[in-house]
Amino acid sequence: MCGRYVMATPASDLVALFEVDQAGDALPEPSWNIPPTTTVPIVVEPAPRDDSPPVRRLEAARWGLVPSWADDVSVGARAFNARAESAATKPMFRDAVRERRALVPADGWYEWRRQGEAKTPFYIHDDAPLTFAGLYAWWKQPDGSWLLSTSILTTAATGALADIHERMPVVVAPEMRDAWIDPGEDGEATLEAVVADAGAVAASLSMHEVDRRVGSVREQGPDLIAPAATR
């Protein structure tokens, strides 16, 4: 995890929720079944180049981090997640941990519990949008334009979530969101803090089984998150 999630909250609501100063162009439409390498909304607060205060922005990013030194965009296909335990030292992610941390808004995510050969999907969520701890990078494309990409940090699952899957996304508590994307904060220390708090955040989440058709990236719609028992 995280390999599939839901972000159906309108961009206008995200602007208000995260107190965004600027919203980028071409923000993605709501989606109930987001796979890696597609475009997702993220909240970033880049370090200013002068003494002006940071500007919080809502941007569209490709899910799958492509570092600035990458030779090809395909690198991102295997970097849609970053393990929190090693991200600060891995060449793929370490610069982003220090300087480019993002909030990845999500209404919830899907996880599959494996029992023998069978896999059962669950939807994990809260009453309000969640925020995953994310990283971001800019990559110069062959045509000279810039691609913004992101990765979601994961950690060992705790509590009831561990009964479904061994990993879970690092969910940032509302009171820690500002610190996580603040470019003035120490990246490694902030990462340790949000990971230490992730278990308590996860304990408050709800989950229920959903229909197996969520496994197809072609499936869309709010009915995907409905409890399977109601079908």
Side-chain angles (χ1 to χ4, degrees):
M1 191 333 150
C2 171
R4 201 76 61 79
Y5 72 99
V6 176
M7 182 66 264
T9 300
S12 58
D13 291 352
L14 296 179
V15 168
L17 178 63
F18 295 104
E19 300 179 330
V20 168
D21 300 308
Q22 296 179 3
D25 297 327
L27 291 168
E29 293 294 320
S31 175
W32 286 265
N33 199 4
I34 301 174
T37 74
T38 54
T39 302
V40 300
I42 65 172
V43 179
V44 297
E45 199 171 275
R49 296 185 179 182
D50 50 31
D51 294 330
S52 59
V55 175
R56 185 168 297 187
R57 294 157 40 190
L58 179 66
E59 298 281 3
R62 187 180 192 268
W63 185 19
L65 193 110
V66 184
S68 61
W69 45 260
D71 294 326
D72 187 85
V73 71
S74 64
V75 168
R78 61 180 184 273
F80 58 90
N81 282 171
R83 294 178 68 92
E85 299 90 336
S86 58
T89 58
K90 292 286 187 180
M92 178 74 74
F93 305 115
R94 64 190 179 194
D95 289 346
V97 170
R98 287 197 298 266
E99 304 171 357
R100 293 183 296 278
R101 300 179 300 278
L103 295 171
V104 183
D107 291 321
W109 78 93
Y110 300 109
E111 194 53 81
W112 281 258
R113 182 174 64 193
R114 184 183 292 275
Q115 295 175 305
E117 295 299 317
K119 293 197 300 182
T120 303
F122 286 79
Y123 179 56
I124 303 157
H125 62 99
D126 201 357
D127 295 333
L130 305 170
T131 44
F132 299 149
L135 306 172
Y136 73 96
W138 288 98
W139 182 71
K140 193 171 185 178
Q141 302 183 91
D143 65 1
S145 62
W146 289 91
L147 174 72
L148 178 62
S149 61
T150 191
S151 182
I152 294 171
L153 286 154
T154 69
T155 188
T158 59
L161 294 183
D163 294 332
I164 299 176
H165 195 273
E166 63 183 11
R167 304 290 294 179
M168 67 180 188
V170 176
V171 181
V172 183
E175 63 271 18
M176 299 187 73
R177 291 169 180 167
D178 290 345
W180 174 247
I181 59 172
D182 185 345
E185 293 284 345
D186 179 89
E188 291 190 43
T190 307
L191 175 57
E192 290 179 4
V194 296
V195 171
D197 197 50
V201 177
S204 68
L205 302 180
S206 300
M207 64 192 76
H208 57 260
E209 183 181 338
V210 294
D211 194 278
R212 285 181 170 81
R213 64 191 184 87
V214 74
S216 170
V217 297
R218 295 187 295 273
E219 296 288 343
Q220 270 295 339
D223 60 314
L224 289 178
I225 64 174
T230 68
R231 298 178 185 278

